Structure formats: structure tokens, C-alpha cells
Amino acid sequence: MKWSDAHLTDVLVIGAGLAGERVAIEAATQGHQVTILSLVPPRRSHSTAAQGGMQASLGNVAMGYGDNPDIHFADTVKGSDWGCDQEVARLFCNLAPVAVRQMAQWGVPWSRVVPGKRLLPEGVEVEELQEKAGLIAQRQFGGTAKWRTCFAADGTGHVLQYAMDSVVVKLGVTVHDRMEAIALIHDGEHCYGAVALSLRDGSLRPYLAKAVVIATGGYGRIYGVSTNAVINEGTGMSICLDTGVVPLGNMEAVQFHPTGIVPAGILVTEGCRGDGGYLLDKNLHRFMPDYEPVKKEVASRDVVSRWMLHHMSKGLGVDSPYGPHLWLDIRHLGKEHICVNLREVHAICANFLGIDCVEELIPVRPTQHYSMGGIRTDVNGAAYGLQGLFAAGEAACWDLHGFNRLGGNSLAETIVAGMVVGEQVARYAGERSLEFPFALVADAMAAQEDRVSKLRSRSGGSEDVYRLRKGMEDALLNNVGIFRTGEALEKAVSILQELYQRSANIRLRSSGLGPNPELYAALRLPGTLKLALCIAQGALQRTESRGSHYREDYPHRDDENWLKRTLAYWPPGADMPRLEYEPVKITELPPGDRGYGGMPIKGD
Amino acid sequence: MYLQETLAKSPRWEAWMELIELFTGLFLLVFLQFHMLAVATIILGPAAFNRDALMLDEYYLSYIGIPLVILAIIVHGLVALRKAPWRYKEMAIFIQHSRRLAHLDTWAWFVQIITGMAVLILAAIHIWNTLSTWPIEAAKSAFRIQSGSFSNLFLLLLIAEIHAMVGLYRILVKWSWIHRQKFTKWLVYATIGFVALGFIALVVFYFLDVKGLT
Amino acid sequence: MSRFLNFSIFRYNPATPEIPPRMQDFQLDETPNMSLFIALNRLREEQDPSLMFDFVCRAAVCGSCAMLINGRPGLACKTLTQDLPDKITLMPLPVFKLVGDLSVDTGVWFRGLNENLEAWIHTDKPFDPQGLEDRMDNPTAHAIYDAERCIECGSCIAACATANMRADFIGAAGLNRVARFLIDPRDERQPYQVFEVVGTDEGVFGCIGLMACDDICPMEIPLQQQLALVRRKMALASLKGK
Ligand SMILES: Cc1cc2nc3c(=O)[nH]c(=O)nc-3n(C[C@H](O)[C@H](O)[C@H](O)COP(=O)(O)OP(=O)(O)OC[C@H]3O[C@@H](n4cnc5c(N)ncnc54)[C@H](O)[C@@H]3O)c2cc1C
Ligand code: HEM
Ligand code: HEM
Ligand code: SF4
Ligand code: F3S
Ligand code: FES
């Protein structure tokens, strides 16, 4: 390593999605020099794929009049099945409207209220008032008492990310794309920066900063079939876990979205159901009202997904070469609505299914979608365990979502957390001076250089990285899905453990020189296997059902024993995570009934 | 930002060149189509043709019009060719790219450049011919056509019409708010119409009894 | 009726310059509903793990995976092999810097473009966290969204002969970006204020109306109309001055 290769900056933000960029903007406007690392150019981050919208209690539309942060708060806590941190939820609900309006000022073309009467698909007539004309429009999402989800047709994430990045460009924030952080530089107390791998040429480079922020998004791809982008492998979480002192929170809380298309697993937005779409079975029967008479298709995601699987297990799914699925029917919404407000859905159906959803049914099945768990932080976004390390967005367990995230709360979280955490990062960086701990940096670099050159020398064992990866995907998909049992989880843990051991013996088939995808995959795999183990082990230990975590052998929520958050640590050299627990902070709303999702529900 | 470019840059002129290209193109287009209609009066008989020629003469339209057209051709040619791939490397890239892409509109631009240069040569000869036997009379024209100009004029007809109509298409594409698909068909019909009319006129000239006229 | 597909794929690894750029052949059996995303991943996992290409969303929304598919730029993730002949040639996009094999660096290019165009909302209005949002009528919001849908995939740039010949041309994506800000009432810039950058031969007057961009844009952005809008506004600005 040449010392001159080191990149010095005040604030290092790892991840250029909405959360990362929002943090960067906050820190940069407060006068800090900020550098962002990203696997891909910021505008290709996974945030752009969000279609549906972002929740904020503006109360602009007829079905949302009277909405306020209190109602949003109650929805969020119920949605989380009381697993969220209520202090965080409160802060979040109060700030969400500010976030939406600021994004409007930065250029997001939110869809707007058009005054006049209109008929909802359910047959109810509503009137949008003249006095609200031109304000930001809102649509219905699952698990909410009011229509609260702000949207821009159905490319909400895209326009948010573009507006956000335009501010990053405006401020001249440095972005190094195709740079993957593969290890943190720390001494067990402070975090000083990260070692990054250039995906342009496979070289390594140290980044040093006063404060490091992880905003690397979710890990959906370790499930193989997921609505997530292929870059969502959770590497940001795994490098934190690697430190041995930073814990991951609630990794067993994995969200499955009800409507991933079959077989590609691409998401069609919850807006489809929010706007009045139905779920049908093989007899074209609309079954959700049978299970959830009040919320029907728009109960929270965990509940709808479970009922769908339950319904399919009764033999009422539609058979296909790719296994059974159900139908999503949006035909009755009309061509105009579909082609304007659900335009991406229309395109997805045309491109990946070859069907026209104005006239045909969409084959869907619950699909891995979101990770509630992540790097555990306090309300300020400061990670547990290391000073100077922060986390925000899907990568973090700030704990707004507990055991189930409401649709539309995640985009809002990325931006609100970006504001809040950015503020704290700026303050922290303002109080510290930049250090250059030569020995630490040299050691961290040497350790990574060693890994890379070992792989390139192809001297190790004989394991194939893609084969091991496939094993991990299958183990999770088959055993750590929507319906979980102790037996399956034990099996998953033992498979994953074995794979983790074998991952030390990977041998590249190619040279590993230059921008080599096999090398990258081999460097990532041990870390992702660790995440998989945290998920499986956390799920095995949690002997209750809460939100998305559903144990067929423990089908009820157990507040007495389990109103607590899992913290997974990975002690250096260990082959299993160490689990600890902390209480969940309840400030306003004591545990109660969600009002939907009656238990138990039978799987197969 | 580079010094040499900054000093040489005059954005106003870059815009004005574009407008000059547009208006000379439009002007020549209008001229050409009127000219085609005027020549086509031969179909109605030499008398009609001669009357038209005389009329233009009487109102001095020729004396203003002809120099104007010649000027327009020169200016138009110079301006329109400013973006042609003159350098060998550009040309090679263009050809390679267009072959790979197999895209009609991209080729159409190339056609525009080639036809433009062909028109320059053919029209120059043609204008020289007509002006050297001034004034315009059906008999003189017929004589020329029967004594060898037929194929040259037909070629000019074809090339000029293609160039003009592709030009009109490209103007609409670049400046109008109407979607291409809506007008492409009509432009093709119009081109065929004008070429047919011109061809008939040429045939009539060809079989015209020159001796009977003089 | 399953076919054998013959792929011919451009290979070059800058780390091994001694091996010159070349086309390499691969064979693969076709499966139902196979996209180039699936095909390329299988080739990488089963045949050549060093094969470089970029996918992120694999759902045609992120713009990462544009490449030349049988000569034409397109998004590989949404291209189904069933719509292609059994001989498939894949090459990286021209104009952009090559990272390796099918992977090109569009990110740096677009960042430069957006800096150059100052592609952000210019406004002096301070943000009031307590206030209501400014109103906008829904058709205006939709018109902005229409232009904003560009995913910066670079297909229009790669398809444009002008952009291929002239490195400094901002291309259809750039001009569309300009249109997006020109129609946005929140941006206080007047056309003459972007004239220096856009009303030039590197800008809209460099475009010679080849329309490959309009034919190829995978987001089906109405580029013909957007480009014409900018052209009219810039021509007008050149006549009016300030
Ligand atoms: C299909 C889909 C639709 C969705 N729709 C909605 C919706 O309608 N409403 C809603 O609220 N939520 C929605 N979500 C969820 C929401 O989009 C995400 O949770 C959110 O965008 C995450 O943002 P983020 O900034 O945390 O991470 P991301 O946007 O995922 O960004 C992660 C960034 O980190 C970078 N990165 C990752 N690892 C590294 C590393 N090791 N080194 C350097 N950089 C790294 C990546 O390059 C990327 O820039 C949806 C999710 C999916 C999958
Ligand atoms: C009667 C004669 C002519 C007519 C009616 C005519 C008409 C047109 C029209 C309408 C256009 C489109 C203009 C635009 O895109 O703005 C055009 C373009 C062009 N013309 Fe002509 N033209 C004539 C003669 C010529 C000649 C003599 C030349 C060459 C020496 C020429 C070269 C070109 C070229 C190269 C273009 C393409 C320019 C571009 O789009 O970049 N034309 N012409
Ligand atoms: C500006 C001066 C011009 C004059 C005075 C003029 C005059 C004439 C005359 C008299 C004829 C009849 C045939 C003949 O005498 O040869 C004719 C035919 C023709 N001219 Fe011109 N012309 C002019 C310019 C042009 C230009 C610029 C073009 C094309 C770009 C053109 C294209 C033709 C064609 C294609 C014919 C054949 C007509 C037919 O097929 O019906 N002329 N012109
Ligand atoms: S305009 Fe279309 S083709 Fe061009 S970059 Fe944007 S999405 Fe891609
Ligand atoms: S292809 Fe190129 S020349 Fe103009 S119309 Fe499109 S940018
Ligand atoms: S992978 Fe995102 S557009 Fe193809």
C-alpha cells in the first residue's frame, strides 16, 4: 500500500441510496467535506426501484382528512407488532411531512390533488375539496387508517433518488462509485474509516474519516428469489458484524411482500391493492375478505402474505411450472388509471410476463422483500459498539419497523433518518479531528490484501463460490421463509454452518485479475453467510410469533417473554453468532391488538 | 473549458446557423415544389407553359427569384454541410455505427448529404442550361430534353424530390410537436405524387413536337 | 422446441492488455421466458466466471444493463431471448468508457453531464419546514414526471451517430434533462440562462434529428417532442437575447 493512496475526508458515507445521500447532504450543508462510496452510480441504487410511495400524514386527500402524526404513529406501532422503538417512531412520524415537502422543493414531481368527485372501486364516492387542489396527493397502502402515501405516479423511488442526487451534484459532494467497502478500520472502540475494493480494477484503497456512516440498504439477495436488486447483499451489515463489537438487531425479522410476480420475483407495487386491486385464487374467487373482513387486501404485508400461503396450501393456488401462485386483478381499475398511476406495473407485466394487465391477471406470490433488521443504532443513528460509526436506512435497525414494516414507511425512513442522523454525524464530525492511525490502517489493508491475493493465487481448497451461494439461497428460502418451525430452522442453521466453513476453502476458477466478478463474489460470501446465520439462529431462538416472524410451533405473540430485540454479535473467530437481547422501548402505546391478522394461521 | 474553444465560441451564431439552415431549406422546398408545378403546366399544353414563363418574366419574378434561389442554394449548402462527417475518422465511425444500428432515420441523414451534393452539381448544370437559352420557352425546353437532357433531368427530379421531402420530414421532426408517425405516410405520398407529376411532364416534353412549335 | 443459443460476446479485460479485444462464442440451451439477465448469469456461473456485465435491478428501472444486443442498444434485463434469433451478439455500449467485457462506465459520464447542465432546481426560495408545500397542478406534475423517467441508461447516447462522432455532445438524455427543468415552474432559470450550455453545437444544435434515440429509449420517453421543445426554446432565446 502507498500512503498517498489513502483518501481523507471528514465524513465517509458508505452507500449512495436515499439514506446515504440524505446524510451526505446534511453533513455537506453544515460545512463538512463528505465522500460517498457506492457499488454503483447513486442513481442506480436500489432506492430507485421503489414504486409505490412514501408515507407522511399530510391529510390532503378525502380519505386522509384529519390525519396527523399521532395516527401515523399508531399505525406504525401496530404494523411493527409492538416491536419498534416508540421514541424513534414518534420522531419519525413528526418529521415525515417535512421530509416530503422538502423533497418537493428539491424537485420531486409528486402527483397532486385534483378536486372533484370520484368513485372508488369499492363503490364509495369521495369528493376532493377545492381548497386542497394542487397539494400533494396520497394513496392507500396496507395497514394504515388513513390514505397517507405520497407518490409520483409509480416511480416514487426513482424521482426521490434523482432529486436527492441532484442536490448531491449541486453541493459537489465527492462520489466514488464502483467502490465497495469490504472492511472497517477500527480499534474496537473507534471507527476510523474503511478499506474499499475498486470494482473497476480490483485494487484496494483505505478511506479515513472522522465519522463513518453505513447506508448500504438491505440483504434481500441472500434469499435468491427476492424483489431486491442483485447488489443488495447486505455487505454493509456484514462488515459491521465482522468488527465483533457491533451488533445486528432483529435479523430474524424479514419481510415478504405479497405481490412478487412469478417467476421473476419482480415486485408489483402495493399501490395495486391500495388503489383497489383484488387477490384471486384459481377459481377466480376473491379470498381476502374471507380472512380479513375489514382490511381485506390492505392488511399489513405480513398478514396478507400469510393468508396467501395459507390459501395456497388449501390447494386453491394456480398451478404453474414454477409452483403454485395466485392472481392479482387490477383490470377493473381501468386502462387510464393503470397507464398513468400504475404505469411501471403495466410495463413490468409487458416486459417480464408478456401480458397486458389492463386485460389479463397478474401471477403473484409472496416474495422476500425487506429487512427490518440491521445494524443496531440508537435514536441518533449511532451504531452500538463503535464510536464514530453510524447507520441509516434499510441497513440500520434504528428500529422504526420492529417486526413488520408498513409499505411506504421505508422511503420515508431513509429520508427522515438521513436528516436526523446527518445532523448527528455533522455534530460528531465537528467535534473531532481527523486521525491517521498508521498501524491500524496498515493492518486492515494487509488483512484484505492477503484475502485478495490468496484468492488470486488459487491455492486454497476446491469449493466453487457459486455453488456455495446457491446452497445458502436454498437453505434460507426453504427453511427460513414465511412459515417457520423449530425443526426447519435447526436444519437451516446446520446447513449454513457447514457452508460457512466451506467458504474458507473457495478456489477461483478464473484468474481473479482486474474487475473480476468471481473474485468479488468470493470476497462477499463469508460475510453474507454470517448474515444468513444471524437470521436463522435469531428465528430459531425466538419462540413466539410477531409481525413477519411467524412460528407455526409458537403461533402467538408472547409479550411477557419476547417483547425484546435480538442483538446478534459475531465474536472474532467464532463460527456462530452470539445472541443477546434488549428491551423494546414503549413510551406511548402499550402492546395490544393489531385489529387484523388474527392468529393462528396454518401454513401447509 | 478550453481557451481556444471559449474564444472561438459564439453560441448565438451556432443557433443562427441552425435557423439559416431551416429557412433556406424551407425556402428552397417551396421554390422547388412551385417550380415543379410550373413546369408541369406543360401537361396542359405548351401555351400554358409559355404563359407561366412569361408571367414570371413580366412581374420581374425571375429577376429577383433566380438570383435569390442561387444565393439560397449556396448558403444552404454551406450551412447544411457544416455537420457532415468530413474527417475520415468521423466518416468511418458514422458508417460503422449506422451499419450496426440498421436504423432508417440515421441513414436518411446520410442520404440527405449525398443527395444534397448531387443536387448541387446537377442543378448547377441545369440552371446554366436554362439561363443560357433565356428566356424560358416550351420549345427550347423540349428540344433540350429530346436531345439528351431527359435522363439528367429525371435524375435531378428524383434526387431533388427525395432531398426536399426527406428535408421536410427532418424539419418537422426537429422543430414540430407532432409525432413522426403521424406525418411520415403523407410525406411519402406527396413525394411519389411530385415525382410522378414531374415524370409525366418530362414525358410530355419528350414527345412534344418541337418543329411544330417553332 | 428448446433452442440452442449461440452467443458471441465482446471480451476485453484491461488488467490483461496483452490479450487484445475479441469476440468469444458461448452456447446455452434456452429455457422458457429466459431474459439476457438469466442467460448471462448462467454463462458466468456455468462457463466463464470472469465474464463482466452490470445488472442491478434486473427489472428495467435502474438503467445499469444497457448493451448492444445484435447491434442495437437495449436493456439486457428486459430483453427476452425468445424475441431474438438463435445467434446473439453482445457488445458493450460505445461512447462510454469500457470497464471490461460488457461493462461500461455510464455513471461518471452522467455525473459530468448533470454538473455541466446544473441539473438541479435553481431557486432562491428558502425552505419553510412549517409551511405547506407549493401547489402545482397535476398535469404539470405529470409532464415533469414524463421527462424525469429517464433512467440514464445511455442507450440514446450509444445509438446516436452524433454522440459517437463528437465526444462533447450532450445527447438526447442531456436534452431531455434540460426539457425537464424548463417545464418545471419551481426552477427559476429562464431559457437564456441555459443558453450558453444548451443553445450550442454541443447542445441542442448538435442534434441533427437522427431519432435513433427516440426509437430506442427503453423508457419510451417522447424524445422527439422533448428535443423539439428545447430546440424551439433555444432558437427563440437566440433571437430574443435576454
Ligand atoms: C421493489 C421494491 C419496491 C419498494 N417500494 C417501496 C415503496 O413503495 N415505499 C417504501 O417506502 N419502500 C419501498 N421499498 C423499500 C425501499 O425502497 C428501500 O428500503 C430503501 O430504498 C432503502 O434505501 P437505502 O438508502 O437504505 O438503501 P439502497 O437504496 O439500497 O442503497 C444502498 C446503497 O449502498 C451501496 N452499497 C451497498 N453495499 C455497499 C458496500 N459494501 N460498499 C459501498 N457501497 C455499498 C449501494 O451501491 C447503494 O448505493 C421497496 C423495495 C423494493 C425492493
Ligand atoms: C432545391 C434545392 C434544395 C432543397 C429544396 C433543399 C431542401 C432541404 C431541406 C428542407 C433540408 C432540411 C433542412 C433542415 O434540416 O433544417 C435540407 C437539408 C440539407 N440540405 Fe438541402 N436542399 C436543397 C439543395 C441542397 C444542396 C444544393 C445541398 C448541398 C450542397 C444541400 C445539402 C443539404 C444537407 C447536407 C442537408 C442536411 C442538413 C442537416 O440536416 O444537417 N441541399 N435541404
Ligand atoms: C433557379 C433557376 C431555375 C430555372 C430558371 C429553372 C427552369 C426550368 C425549366 C425551364 C425547366 C424545363 C426543362 C428545361 O428547360 O430544361 C426545368 C425543369 C426542371 N428543373 Fe428547373 N429551373 C431552375 C432551378 C432548378 C433547381 C434548383 C432544381 C432542383 C433542385 C430544378 C429542377 C428541375 C427539374 C427536376 C426539372 C425537370 C422537370 C420535370 O421533371 O417536370 N430546377 N427547370
Ligand atoms: S433518455 Fe431513454 S435511452 Fe436515453 S438515457 Fe434516458 S432512458 Fe436511456
Ligand atoms: S439520435 Fe442523436 S442526433 Fe439527435 S435526434 Fe437523437 S440525439
Ligand atoms: S438491471 Fe436495472 S435496468 Fe436492467
Side-chain angles (χ1 to χ4, degrees):
Chain A
M1 188 194 97
K2 291 205 300 286
W3 291 108
S4 56
D5 283 348
H7 181 93
L8 309 184
T9 182
D10 291 333
V11 175
L12 178 67
V13 178
I14 304 175
L18 281 171
E21 289 209 316
R22 188 65 187 79
V23 171
I25 288 169
E26 198 62 43
T29 34
Q30 305 210 10
H32 294 293
Q33 195 200 324
V34 182
T35 302
I36 306 182
L37 303 186
S38 175
L39 303 176
V40 294
R43 296 180 184 206
R44 313 220 187 286
S45 291
H46 183 57
S47 291
T48 55
Q51 307 161 345
M54 160 171 180
Q55 290 210 37
S57 54
L58 307 178
N60 284 344
V61 292
M63 295 296 284
Y65 292 155
D67 196 10
N68 61 42
D70 295 337
I71 307 179
H72 188 184
F73 173 81
D75 283 342
T76 302
V77 175
K78 283 184 206 169
S80 79
D81 222 354
W82 278 270
C84 74
D85 182 317
Q86 297 194 4
E87 191 186 343
V88 168
R90 174 48 75 179
L91 177 72
F92 162 80
C93 293
N94 290 346
L95 276 176
V98 180
V100 165
R101 291 182 175 130
Q102 186 169 51
M103 291 314 294
Q105 176 130 359
W106 286 349
V108 168
W110 295 112
S111 295
R112 302 290 173 143
V113 173
V114 182
K117 291 196 168 80
R118 66 199 174 102
L119 206 61
L120 303 180
E122 296 275 88
V124 186
E125 195 188 65
V126 294
E127 183 174 1
E128 304 296 346
L129 298 178
Q130 188 61 45
E131 65 186 73
K132 300 281 189 187
L135 294 178
I136 294 169
Q138 292 170 291
R139 56 159 55 133
Q140 171 167 242
F141 254 36
T144 61
K146 300 274 181 186
W147 289 26
R148 187 186 298 131
T149 307
C150 309
F151 63 101
D154 67 356
T156 313
H158 172 88
V159 295
L160 284 171
Q161 180 84 59
Y162 273 57
M164 195 71 89
D165 192 52
S166 77
V167 179
V168 165
V169 175
K170 175 181 166 186
L171 297 174
V173 174
T174 308
V175 178
H176 289 180
D177 66 4
R178 291 180 192 263
M179 265 294 182
E180 173 169 350
I182 60 169
L184 291 177
I185 302 172
H186 70 102
D187 57 10
E189 259 164 53
H190 272 101
C191 180
Y192 297 98
V195 177
L197 171 75
S198 165
L199 305 182
R200 284 192 163 77
D201 56 17
S203 62
L204 292 171
R205 182 174 189 190
Y207 285 77
L208 294 169
K210 299 176 189 169
V212 178
V213 185
I214 310 259
T216 50
Y219 55 64
R221 273 289 144 182
I222 68 179
Y223 268 81
V225 182
S226 166
T227 62
N228 287 12
V230 293
I231 58 167
N232 285 22
E233 300 189 276
T235 46
M237 297 182 199
S238 67
I239 62 176
C240 287
L241 195 62
D242 284 342
T243 61
V245 289
V246 178
L248 304 183
N250 279 347
M251 290 300 280
E252 63 269 33
V254 183
Q255 180 168 76
F256 288 75
H257 194 289
T259 55
I261 63 169
V262 178
I266 295 169
L267 180 84
V268 293
T269 170
E270 183 152 316
C272 291
R273 280 168 299 129
D275 291 1
Y278 303 144
L279 289 169
L280 307 179
D281 63 16
K282 72 172 179 192
N283 304 319
L284 303 188
H285 168 65
R286 185 185 171 196
F287 58 91
M288 276 309 291
D290 304 346
Y291 301 119
E292 295 289 342
V294 183
K295 283 281 178 188
K296 305 186 181 89
E297 279 86 355
V298 290
S300 67
R301 288 180 180 167
D302 57 328
V303 172
V304 178
S305 294
R306 262 193 308 270
W307 285 127
M308 288 171 77
L309 276 202
H310 171 72
H311 200 69
M312 285 196 279
S313 72
K314 294 206 296 198
L316 292 166
V318 185
D319 287 320
S320 81
Y322 305 97
H325 62 76
L326 293 159
W327 297 117
L328 174 65
D329 184 6
I330 57 171
R331 297 172 299 179
H332 52 285
L333 302 183
K335 189 179 170 112
E336 199 191 330
H337 183 94
I338 293 173
C339 292
V340 177
N341 288 334
L342 298 172
R343 176 167 168 172
E344 307 296 322
V345 173
H346 192 253
I348 285 171
C349 290
N351 291 334
F352 299 98
L353 294 167
I355 63 166
D356 177 2
C357 62
V358 174
E359 278 157 13
E360 287 167 90
L361 299 171
I362 310 170
V364 293
R365 185 163 56 205
T367 308
Q368 193 290 336
H369 180 59
Y370 186 81
S371 35
M372 274 75 75
I375 302 151
R376 178 66 187 132
T377 71
D378 64 12
V379 66
N380 294 327
Y384 284 20
L386 278 184
Q387 279 190 50
L389 181 65
F390 297 80
E394 193 172 340
C397 180
W398 194 29
D399 226 359
L400 170 64
H401 309 301
F403 275 77
N404 176 62
R405 163 179 78 93
L406 292 186
N409 257 0
S410 169
L411 286 181
E413 180 200 8
T414 58
I415 298 172
V416 173
M419 293 158 67
V420 174
V421 180
E423 177 94 43
Q424 298 299 332
V425 167
R427 229 195 43 208
Y428 180 88
E431 290 163 0
R432 281 181 66 87
S433 51
L434 190 64
E435 288 176 44
F436 200 135
F438 288 92
L440 269 184
V441 177
D443 285 353
M445 283 293 287
Q448 298 308 320
E449 268 160 4
D450 189 45
R451 286 179 71 200
V452 171
S453 60
K454 241 195 204 127
L455 284 165
R456 283 204 179 124
S457 73
R458 295 199 278 177
S459 53
S462 57
E463 300 288 355
D464 177 63
V465 53
Y466 297 111
R467 186 119 17 95
L468 295 186
R469 225 202 113 86
K470 187 84 182 55
M472 171 185 72
E473 293 170 1
D474 291 345
L476 286 174
L477 211 53
N478 299 336
N479 304 307
V480 201
I482 295 179
F483 289 103
R484 300 170 174 179
T485 63
E487 201 184 330
L489 291 169
E490 270 167 16
K491 190 166 141 200
V493 170
S494 74
I495 298 175
L496 291 169
Q497 266 184 304
E498 188 210 321
L499 290 172
Y500 179 62
Q501 264 142 31
R502 286 166 63 191
S503 73
N505 300 322
I506 290 173
R507 181 196 171 92
L508 299 187
R509 281 185 278 148
S510 59
S511 68
L513 293 176
N516 183 292
E518 193 186 17
L519 174 79
Y520 303 156
L523 286 170
R524 282 175 202 140
L525 189 64
T528 39
L529 276 162
K530 284 183 180 176
L531 297 183
L533 272 163
C534 291
I535 297 169
Q537 180 68 1
L540 176 63
Q541 296 305 322
R542 186 173 282 271
T543 50
E544 66 153 355
S545 289
R546 184 183 296 273
S548 64
H549 172 69
Y550 188 84
R551 287 283 297 259
E552 282 189 272
D553 37 0
Y554 299 91
H556 296 280
R557 199 175 79 202
D558 177 359
D559 289 327
E560 213 162 294
N561 295 310
W562 285 106
L563 195 56
K564 50 190 185 186
R565 184 176 298 114
T566 312
L567 297 179
Y569 290 85
W570 199 283
D575 57 356
M576 277 291 279
R578 185 184 81 234
L579 301 188
E580 289 179 12
Y581 295 91
E582 67 172 3
V584 172
K585 201 180 284 165
I586 308 278
T587 55
E588 298 181 44
L589 196 64
D593 180 33
R594 295 171 99 185
Y596 47 79
M599 310 239 181
I601 304 171
K602 282 297 299 157
D604 39 28
Chain B
M1 185 80 48
Y2 300 93
L3 177 67
Q4 70 278 20
E5 277 177 19
T6 314
L7 294 181
K9 195 164 186 167
S10 172
R12 278 295 170 81
W13 264 104
E14 291 173 10
W16 289 344
M17 298 265 249
E18 183 78 6
L19 287 169
I20 293 170
E21 180 182 328
L22 168 68
F23 286 114
T24 52
L26 273 180
F27 170 75
L28 288 173
L29 175 87
V30 172
F31 159 78
L32 180 72
Q33 305 305 41
F34 263 103
H35 167 49
M36 294 318 292
L37 292 177
V39 175
T41 50
I42 193 67
I43 301 170
L44 304 177
F49 182 86
N50 285 338
R51 198 186 54 229
D52 281 355
L54 218 70
M55 216 155 65
L56 287 180
D57 228 7
E58 257 170 33
Y59 293 100
Y60 296 100
L61 273 182
S62 324
Y63 303 105
I64 313 166
I66 295 174
L68 216 59
V69 167
I70 295 175
L71 183 72
I73 289 182
I74 294 170
V75 173
H76 171 80
L78 285 177
V79 173
L81 284 172
R82 78 192 186 287
K83 286 188 212 140
W86 288 121
R87 283 162 51 221
Y88 166 76
K89 199 165 169 193
E90 286 177 349
M91 179 65 91
I93 292 178
F94 183 85
I95 303 265
Q96 260 236 357
H97 172 84
S98 308
R99 283 178 48 182
R100 207 172 44 223
L101 198 63
H103 177 252
L104 199 64
D105 282 41
T106 299
W107 280 122
W109 180 63
F110 199 63
V111 167
Q112 196 70 348
I113 291 172
I114 303 289
T115 51
M117 291 193 288
V119 166
L120 187 64
I121 297 162
L122 291 171
I125 300 169
H126 162 65
I127 294 173
W128 175 256
N129 282 341
T130 35
L131 294 191
S132 60
T133 59
W134 194 255
I136 296 170
E137 273 168 31
K140 292 181 190 163
S141 295
F143 175 74
R144 240 195 320 268
I145 287 167
Q146 290 167 23
S147 51
S149 282
F150 185 94
S151 51
N152 265 358
L153 279 175
F154 181 67
L155 197 68
L156 179 60
L157 166 72
L158 210 62
I159 290 177
E161 279 298 338
I162 289 177
H163 181 85
M165 294 311 254
V166 171
L168 179 58
Y169 168 82
R170 291 171 40 71
I171 284 177
L172 289 173
V173 158
K174 287 200 287 187
W175 295 92
S176 84
W177 44 87
I178 312 161
H179 194 276
R180 285 179 289 151
Q181 267 159 8
K182 296 213 174 104
F183 53 71
T184 307
K185 193 172 70 182
W186 299 108
L187 290 180
V188 173
Y189 292 161
T191 314
I192 295 173
F194 275 110
V195 172
L197 189 70
F199 182 70
I200 295 171
L202 276 183
V203 172
V204 171
F205 269 123
Y206 194 77
F207 292 107
L208 210 62
D209 179 5
V210 178
K211 291 217 172 70
L213 284 175
T214 40
Chain C
M1 51 154 276
S2 116
R3 295 188 294 173
F4 255 95
L5 300 174
N6 293 297
F7 286 89
S8 174
I9 297 180
F10 178 88
R11 299 304 303 270
Y12 181 66
N13 182 350
T16 51
E18 64 280 6
I19 308 174
R22 65 201 187 280
M23 300 299 292
Q24 189 179 347
D25 290 338
F26 296 93
Q27 265 96 41
L28 200 65
D29 57 306
E30 193 176 27
T31 51
N33 257 336
M34 183 157 101
S35 63
L36 288 180
F37 166 68
I38 298 174
L40 283 168
N41 273 295
R42 273 190 55 197
L43 287 179
R44 180 192 281 174
E45 284 171 26
E46 296 166 14
Q47 304 189 25
D48 187 339
S50 67
L51 188 59
M52 288 172 262
F53 48 77
D54 293 321
F55 288 98
V56 176
C57 69
R58 60 86 178 81
V61 294
C62 78
S64 304
C65 65
M67 56 182 70
L68 295 184
I69 304 162
N70 286 341
R72 285 203 163 201
L75 297 180
C77 67
K78 76 160 191 179
T79 303
L80 301 181
T81 53
Q82 68 199 36
D83 300 331
L84 298 172
D86 47 15
K87 169 120 180 88
I88 300 171
T89 307
L90 301 177
M91 289 202 270
L93 287 191
V95 184
F96 302 99
K97 189 163 181 276
L98 185 72
V99 175
D101 296 348
L102 299 174
S103 172
V104 291
D105 191 347
T106 45
V108 168
W109 196 92
F110 274 100
R111 164 92 185 215
L113 176 80
N114 287 316
E115 277 167 1
N116 188 9
L117 296 178
E118 301 192 2
W120 55 81
I121 299 274
H122 288 59
T123 178
D124 292 330
K125 248 185 101 173
F127 174 63
D128 170 15
Q130 305 317 323
L132 280 187
E133 62 270 23
D134 288 337
R135 289 171 202 258
M136 180 186 280
D137 64 355
N138 205 37
T140 307
H142 276 300
I144 300 170
Y145 181 69
D146 246 4
E148 183 84 344
R149 288 171 60 249
C150 166
I151 54 176
E152 301 193 343
C153 67
S155 293
C156 58
I157 312 294
C160 174
T162 311
N164 274 265
M165 292 187 293
R166 316 229 150 114
D168 48 9
F169 177 47
I170 65 173
L175 294 167
N176 175 61
R177 184 70 64 213
V178 172
R180 180 245 174 274
F181 285 99
L182 285 179
I183 58 181
D184 193 328
R186 292 169 294 198
D187 192 326
E188 287 159 4
R189 274 178 294 182
Q190 294 302 311
Y192 73 80
Q193 290 172 297
V194 293
F195 188 77
E196 293 278 323
V197 187
V198 183
T200 59
D201 282 352
E202 289 80 56
V204 71
F205 300 124
C207 161
I208 48 176
L210 300 180
M211 288 296 128
C213 54
D214 188 59
D215 283 322
I216 268 173
C217 173
M219 298 306 282
E220 292 174 17
I221 293 172
L223 290 173
Q224 184 206 322
Q225 275 79 353
Q226 303 286 41
L227 267 48
L229 176 94
V230 178
R231 191 183 294 271
R232 291 195 299 268
K233 293 225 163 168
M234 287 304 123
L236 214 63
S238 80
L239 296 176
K240 271 209 303 228
K242 282 215 174 152

